[in-house]
Amino acid sequence: MVTIRKPRSTEGLVRFESVTKRYGNKFAVENLSFEIAQGEVIGFLGPNGAGKTTAMRILAGYFSPTSGRVILDGMDLFREPQRAKRHVGYLPEVVRLYPDMRVREYLRYVAELKGIRPKDIPMEMEEKISLCGLTDVEHRLIGRLSKGFRQRVGLAQALIGDPPVLVLDEPTTGLDPKQIAEIRALIRDLGKRRAVILSTHILPEVSMICNRVIMIHQGKVLASGTVRELESCLKDREAIFVTVPGAQYQETAEEILSKISGVENVRVVERHENEIQFCLETAQDEDLRPEITKFFVESKIPVLEIRRDQLTLEEIFLKLLKDGWFQQRTKIEAKAET
Amino acid sequence: MRKVFAIARKEFGSFFHSWTGVMTAVMFFAVTGIFFVILTLNFAQISMDPRSAGLSSFPNISQTHYVFGSLFLNLNVILLFLVPLITMRSFAEERKHETLELLFTYPLTDLEIVAGKLLGLIWFFEMLLVPLAGYALVFYWIGGELDWGPVLSAFLGFWVLGMAYLSAGVFVSTLTKSSVMSAVGTFGILVIFWMMDFAPMSGGGGVSVVVNAMSPLRHFRNFTYGILDLRDLIYFAFFFFYFLFLSLRSIETRNWKES
Ligand SMILES: Nc1ncnc2c1ncn2[C@@H]1O[C@H](COP(=O)(O)OP(=O)(O)OP(=O)(O)O)[C@@H](O)[C@H]1O
Ligand SMILES: [Mg+2]
């Protein structure tokens, strides 16, 4: 069994060295480099298709990268896969398990495949079953479990053998709020003595459980830093949502909005039969809502709703992209240094 | 090695989780049983009245060869149907449920995975062979004169033939997500191997001779005559390991292929 101890090297427990993965001519991950130390929980953020799953599958040893190296506690993951893989536990994005096996039987199978000594297997299973709250379903067929419980079985199999590195691909999707809270607490706890890397689309989740964030887009690192750094960089931006009735107002409204000083990035976010919603960005310190309302009233455009909100993850991405990721990255890194 | 056995145990156990596994076993017992009874009764009838079968005299026909030689030659046709049913789910089912993703992230070599699967299937196949040994005992018990040499060698031949076919079936199973496609594909390949036996040994030109030499049946037939030839054993070993190698290459493609 792999026991958690001080990493052999003083550097990170996990090190990606210019990892590239290509599908045909398409780069899913390009020149990705980062490090994770023991005791860190890293949030992997990125829009759909950014390459999060691909990077995590590489780290889990599912397939090898087209080029580059992954170093795990001083071992090259693809030179010594047998030894290195014992140090990683992986929870896939969609947890696929054998539907015709029972929970206990399955976990025993996983323990055997992970090379746990037969005499340690019963204790190992007991521990993971109770840790993941599976005691009530341990004799049920996996195919008959609800999604939330299957997710827990997935987590239990990742934890078997106590690997010092945990790779969790969207661990909370499809769970109910109570389970989400439980899983988050569990991950935070696990992260104290391990290196955890998790991907998510939920920004608050990152601030709740991660020490550090790596944002990726089109397979490249867009920004990386601690949650605090990232937030402070983005906090000064806010979004205002304006809803007007009917398509006939679209052009005039767009024109008015883009003329107001301090407004950036006006775009339509939703369009229904007789409702159009615009989103625009402003600096945080000035509330432009009164001004916007005034202009709309003057032009006789009815306003159905006007609302201020923090930028969502998607909008942060659009913004980072618009500013150019190189600039933004240096900006965040510069902030990190001060 | 412990990991290989763990995979093999799971693979073997999965036959009893599904109806196809149990049905396959039942059908196999039924069909071989019927063959055995018919052959034994036929033999009994001919031996009592050789002239009705167009034979002038009887004693020069060997009981063992008549019953067991024919039984094993018939069995090899049954094997064309049996093997696809055994191997169809091995990898296709894992690909369908996408369970290979996790399997590949465990500290296992590809060889351990393929060997474990194959071993589990071989255990199931061996379990089916047990009643065949029973037939020999029954034949002996009802007073048949058993020539043990050819019976044992036919048994051995059937065993290695089955293992070689299973290896081919596992390879086909790595190519598809659908167990039906896997079974049909395996059946197709096995039928092609079976037809190789019909290539004339001489007079058909060089190609024909080579095809005939590669026919698994030709090598199997020697076993049913009680001839143990190292060349036949090497042939089946080569057959087995060649398809094992292809399976390994096939699951390795995840490293460079799309989807
Ligand atoms: N098996 C595959 N074959 C070809 N292209 C693939 C394959 N898997 C992923 N891709 C492509 O690689 C890119 C990265 O995909 P990946 O699944 O890593 O994204 P992701 O960040 O996990 O997205 P999501 O947030 O939707 O889970 C995508 O453009 C995707 O289309
Ligand atoms: Mg993904």
Side-chain angles (χ1 to χ4, degrees):
Chain A
M1 204 182 338
V2 179
T3 48
I4 298 168
R5 58 187 157 73
K6 268 184 97 72
R8 219 177 293 164
S9 49
T10 46
E11 297 145 2
L13 201 52
V14 176
R15 200 164 77 234
F16 265 58
E17 292 179 359
S18 24
V19 169
T20 296
K21 178 79 190 179
R22 237 177 33 210
Y23 289 114
N25 288 327
K26 193 184 176 321
F27 286 88
V29 163
E30 197 176 343
N31 226 339
L32 199 60
S33 299
F34 60 85
E35 268 188 39
I36 311 172
Q38 186 171 335
E40 267 192 312
V41 180
I42 301 284
F44 233 34
L45 286 178
N48 292 127
K52 302 181 294 293
T53 299
T54 307
M56 297 179 109
R57 281 179 159 181
I58 290 172
L59 178 53
Y62 170 70
F63 49 29
S64 53
T66 315
S67 67
R69 294 200 304 169
V70 177
I71 307 294
L72 248 167
D73 196 7
M75 289 171 282
D76 187 322
L77 181 56
F78 297 96
R79 287 256 170 81
E80 307 178 67
Q82 302 315 306
R83 265 178 70 210
K85 279 179 177 181
R86 300 179 61 183
H87 295 244
V88 190
Y90 175 52
L91 174 71
E93 185 166 8
V94 184
V95 181
R96 309 280 196 179
L97 308 163
Y98 302 98
D100 56 358
M101 281 180 107
R102 292 174 196 281
V103 173
R104 231 189 132 73
E105 181 191 8
Y106 172 69
L107 293 177
R108 164 177 292 281
Y109 180 53
V110 173
E112 286 168 345
L113 295 186
K114 287 197 179 186
I116 301 204
R117 278 189 310 229
K119 71 176 172 58
D120 295 332
I121 290 181
M123 216 182 74
E124 184 70 20
M125 285 198 323
E126 264 358 293
E127 202 182 293
K128 301 305 178 285
I129 284 175
S130 69
L131 186 64
C132 299
L134 291 168
T135 317
D136 293 338
V137 298
E138 62 177 335
H139 297 296
R140 301 254 308 265
L141 281 176
I142 292 174
R144 306 245 171 91
L145 293 181
S146 67
K147 166 131 173 51
F149 274 102
R150 254 179 287 150
Q151 190 86 359
R152 286 164 186 242
V153 177
L155 192 63
Q157 66 76 32
L159 292 175
I160 280 181
D162 287 322
V165 177
L166 282 180
V167 182
L168 312 172
D169 201 350
E170 303 190 18
T172 56
T173 43
L175 300 185
D176 69 40
K178 183 167 159 285
Q179 289 181 328
I180 289 182
E182 282 172 17
I183 296 267
R184 283 179 184 162
L186 183 60
I187 293 172
R188 225 183 348 230
D189 196 44
L190 291 167
K192 284 182 193 143
R193 292 158 66 228
R194 293 178 173 79
V196 179
I197 173 162
L198 67 93
S199 74
T200 178
H201 290 284
I202 311 162
L203 198 55
E205 183 161 285
V206 171
S207 31
M208 263 183 273
I209 46 184
C210 303
N211 317 107
R212 200 149 62 83
V213 176
I214 297 173
M215 280 195 165
I216 62 170
H217 180 70
Q218 295 182 343
K220 299 196 191 92
V221 175
L222 191 64
S224 94
T226 65
V227 174
R228 179 103 31 88
E229 286 158 12
L230 209 63
E231 272 176 354
S232 68
C233 165
L234 303 163
K235 265 252 173 70
D236 55 353
R237 307 300 301 175
E238 272 191 337
I240 292 181
F241 295 89
V242 186
T243 313
V244 300
Q248 70 268 34
Y249 299 110
Q250 182 176 347
E251 270 179 38
T252 347
E254 263 174 355
E255 205 175 304
I256 294 169
L257 287 172
S258 48
K259 268 192 210 145
I260 302 171
S261 73
V263 167
E264 275 174 34
N265 220 356
V266 180
R267 55 183 201 281
V268 177
V269 283
E270 253 175 76
R271 188 199 304 267
H272 295 303
E273 212 170 306
N274 39 23
E275 260 183 43
I276 291 189
Q277 190 177 52
F278 295 98
C279 170
L280 43 109
E281 280 173 35
T282 70
Q284 190 182 27
D285 39 11
E286 44 185 343
D287 187 351
L288 290 179
R289 281 180 299 177
E291 204 172 333
I292 292 169
T293 323
K294 202 183 89 202
F295 278 115
F296 271 59
V297 170
E298 278 170 10
S299 330
K300 299 206 167 54
I301 300 177
V303 176
L304 296 181
E305 192 199 357
I306 182 160
R307 167 169 65 86
R308 244 175 121 196
D309 216 335
Q310 283 223 311
L311 287 178
T312 64
L313 185 57
E314 288 304 313
E315 282 144 3
I316 290 169
F317 267 109
L318 290 172
K319 191 175 152 34
L320 282 170
L321 281 179
K322 198 171 137 266
D323 294 1
W325 64 281
F326 279 115
Q327 277 173 339
Q328 199 63 36
R329 202 171 163 198
T330 37
K331 197 168 132 201
I332 293 176
E333 272 160 14
K335 277 200 178 182
E337 271 153 33
T338 52
Chain B
M1 209 53 196
R2 211 185 279 144
K3 295 174 186 172
V4 174
F5 283 127
I7 297 177
R9 259 199 311 277
K10 172 183 174 289
E11 201 63 24
F12 182 72
S14 74
F15 282 106
F16 304 95
H17 285 165
S18 74
W19 276 108
T20 38
V22 178
M23 287 294 284
T24 305
V26 170
M27 294 282 281
F28 181 74
F29 295 155
V31 172
T32 52
I34 289 167
F35 268 115
F36 172 70
V37 170
I38 289 177
L39 285 168
T40 311
L41 291 180
N42 259 353
F43 182 81
Q45 196 184 7
I46 297 171
S47 62
M48 284 198 267
D49 187 6
R51 239 162 289 147
S52 73
L55 299 167
S56 53
S57 68
F58 179 71
N60 52 2
I61 298 178
S62 140
Q63 295 187 10
T64 311
H65 190 242
Y66 188 90
V67 175
F68 285 92
S70 321
L71 179 62
F72 277 108
L73 281 175
N74 284 319
L75 277 183
N76 111 78
V77 177
I78 298 174
L79 212 53
L80 300 181
F81 296 91
L82 177 71
V83 166
L85 288 175
I86 297 181
T87 60
M88 64 180 186
R89 291 162 72 248
S90 58
F91 275 97
E93 188 95 339
E94 298 241 12
R95 289 191 55 178
K96 190 176 102 198
H97 294 307
E98 291 171 37
T99 42
L100 283 176
E101 179 173 7
L102 271 177
L103 202 57
F104 288 143
T105 66
Y106 297 143
L108 295 165
T109 58
D110 288 359
L111 178 62
E112 280 171 323
I113 294 175
V114 176
K117 292 241 167 220
L118 204 42
L119 184 63
L121 304 186
I122 289 171
W123 285 347
F124 184 72
F125 175 65
E126 286 169 349
M127 187 192 81
L128 298 184
L129 293 185
V130 173
L132 293 189
Y135 299 151
L137 292 178
V138 167
F139 189 73
Y140 182 70
W141 179 63
I142 60 176
E145 281 167 24
L146 211 50
D147 191 356
W148 286 102
V151 170
L152 287 180
S153 85
F155 221 81
L156 176 71
F158 189 61
W159 185 54
V160 293
L161 178 74
M163 287 199 287
Y165 280 4
L166 289 174
S167 181
V170 166
F171 165 64
V172 175
S173 184
T174 63
L175 300 176
T176 169
K177 278 185 196 323
S178 139
S179 16
V180 174
M181 285 296 291
S182 162
V184 171
T186 307
F187 181 70
I189 286 196
L190 296 185
V191 164
I192 291 172
F193 275 116
W194 179 67
M195 290 194 311
M196 283 174 143
D197 191 51
F198 301 130
M201 236 201 297
S202 53
V207 178
S208 168
V209 171
V210 171
V211 166
N212 191 287
M214 277 171 39
S215 149
L217 268 199
R218 201 178 83 103
H219 294 275
F220 172 61
R221 206 174 285 115
N222 284 343
F223 286 97
T224 65
Y225 296 147
I227 305 168
L228 272 187
D229 189 334
L230 191 61
R231 275 172 302 180
D232 297 327
L233 285 171
I234 290 174
Y235 168 85
F236 283 117
F238 181 77
F239 193 115
F240 179 86
F241 285 109
Y242 181 66
F243 279 105
L244 179 69
F245 168 76
L246 288 185
S247 302
L248 285 174
R249 295 314 301 262
S250 166
I251 65 169
E252 213 179 69
T253 56
R254 71 181 184 279
N255 286 319
W256 47 268
K257 219 176 109 191
E258 302 182 25
S259 78

